[in-house]
Amino acid sequence: MIYLKTEEEIELLRKANLLVSATLAEIAKIVRPGVTTRQLDTLAEQFIRDHGATPTFKGFPASFAGAEPFPASLCTSVNNVVIHGIPDDVPLKEGDIVSVDCGTCLDGFCGDSCYTFCVGEVDEETRRLLRITKESLYRGIAAALPGNRIGDIGAAVQQHCESQGYGVVREFVGHGIGHDMHEEPPVPNYGRPGTGKLLKNGLCIAIEPMITRGNNAIALMPDRWGVTTRDMSRAAHFEHTIAIHNGKPDILSTFEPIEAIEGKLY
Ligand code: MG
Ligand code: MG
């Protein structure tokens, strides 16, 4: 069932999401060659708890048989890892990219946002992947208007990425968000315009293109969490939580503090 949010609930969701954005901005300050993803995770968990929230991902139940609950506060997915990478002690290297997905629960509402960071100097082809993926997120958001349908969002993302020769991952999708991190409806990054559930004021969703430089085929990693491209091509992942609010998309998370720290990269 789709649960539409009140004005008050949208403001609580905004607070939880701005805390995610502030956490990702803390990551932006320290991500560089030599830093480990476990160090990013430790910083994020402390920052989230210091602000009176809990990291939603920590202890999140596994979707695949044989996996333990998620052990960390961030998903850190490096290079060919698309999503759900478990933080570890491997230092990031010059030229890597790392997608950092973060979730908080604050006053009973969830925040969820992801940003793909460059580690030092990154090659031109990779920067282009990041730019197109981020653009596709905003194109999907622009389609999230009352009266449109879920398929309009996916079609906007898909058209932008596939026209550039990139792969759109199909098996993982965006989602409704509220008291729970994952609510109805699913929000695919592909689709046909004018199809799927009708979008209405009060609908709160996470839109999160997961885009590959090569083929869109993916594989589960041996830890039963991480998801990699099969062809080992690099992947990017950007995510915002939005509300459809007063007749237009209202972005509840923000990349502004991250982009202010990064400067112009691509
Ligand atoms: Mg996320
Ligand atoms: Mg999400």
Side-chain angles (χ1 to χ4, degrees):
M1 190 180 132
I2 295 179
Y3 157 40
L4 301 176
K5 276 74 180 177
T6 64
E7 289 285 324
E8 193 181 19
E9 289 170 329
I10 289 172
E11 293 317 311
L12 288 167
L13 267 170
R14 194 188 310 277
K15 281 177 65 182
N17 276 285
L18 289 179
L19 178 57
V20 172
S21 303
T23 307
L24 291 176
E26 292 299 306
I27 300 296
K29 288 178 192 167
I30 67 160
V31 68
R32 62 172 66 89
V35 169
T36 70
T37 49
R38 197 184 306 278
Q39 288 173 302
L40 303 182
D41 184 61
T42 302
L43 172 114
E45 178 168 4
Q46 192 63 51
F47 189 82
I48 292 166
R49 294 195 191 280
D50 285 349
H51 288 79
T54 52
T56 332
F57 297 177
K58 196 154 198 177
F60 198 79
S63 341
F64 296 100
E68 298 294 319
F70 197 76
S73 299
L74 298 177
C75 296
T76 53
S77 305
V78 178
N79 297 339
N80 53 293
V81 182
V82 186
I83 50 166
H84 299 170
I86 297 177
D88 63 20
D89 295 312
V90 180
L92 293 168
K93 300 186 307 295
E94 180 86 21
D96 283 349
I97 53 172
V98 57
S99 299
V100 180
D101 197 347
C102 179
T104 61
C105 185
L106 179 65
D107 298 329
F109 281 89
C110 288
D112 188 10
S113 179
C114 180
Y115 197 90
T116 302
F117 294 93
C118 294
V119 181
E121 286 292 318
V122 167
D123 68 78
E124 170 60 31
E125 285 189 16
T126 300
R127 292 203 308 270
R128 185 167 169 278
L129 171 70
L130 301 187
R131 177 169 56 80
I132 298 294
T133 304
K134 194 193 280 187
E135 284 173 3
S136 79
L137 168 60
Y138 287 106
R139 290 187 179 216
I141 291 170
L145 297 167
N148 276 1
R149 293 181 178 272
I150 287 286
D152 292 300
I153 298 173
V157 172
Q158 180 183 10
Q159 197 279 330
H160 191 57
C161 295
E162 289 185 347
S163 71
Q164 304 292 322
Y166 293 146
V168 176
V169 170
R170 300 288 204 277
E171 292 85 346
F172 295 88
V173 297
H175 47 90
I177 182 166
H179 286 303
D180 290 318
M181 181 165 67
H182 296 143
E183 296 186 355
E184 290 294 310
V187 184
N189 296 303
Y190 60 92
R192 290 208 334 272
T195 64
K197 293 262 189 268
L198 187 63
L199 305 179
K200 296 177 182 170
N201 278 309
L203 182 67
C204 296
I205 51 176
I207 302 176
E208 48 179 315
M210 297 156 229
I211 306 300
T212 69
R213 262 201 56 210
N215 189 280
N216 66 357
I218 55 169
L220 194 59
M221 292 166 67
D223 64 27
R224 313 286 292 163
W225 273 106
V227 171
T228 175
T229 54
R230 275 190 191 267
D231 63 8
M232 302 301 274
S233 65
R234 287 184 163 194
H237 181 201
F238 288 89
E239 176 180 25
H240 272 314
T241 291
I242 71 154
I244 300 176
H245 189 198
N246 296 330
K248 55 182 193 300
D250 181 354
I251 306 176
L252 304 179
S253 43
T254 175
F255 295 153
E256 278 176 25
I258 301 169
E259 290 166 342
I261 292 161
E262 277 191 333
K264 180 148 178 56
L265 295 177
Y266 43 84

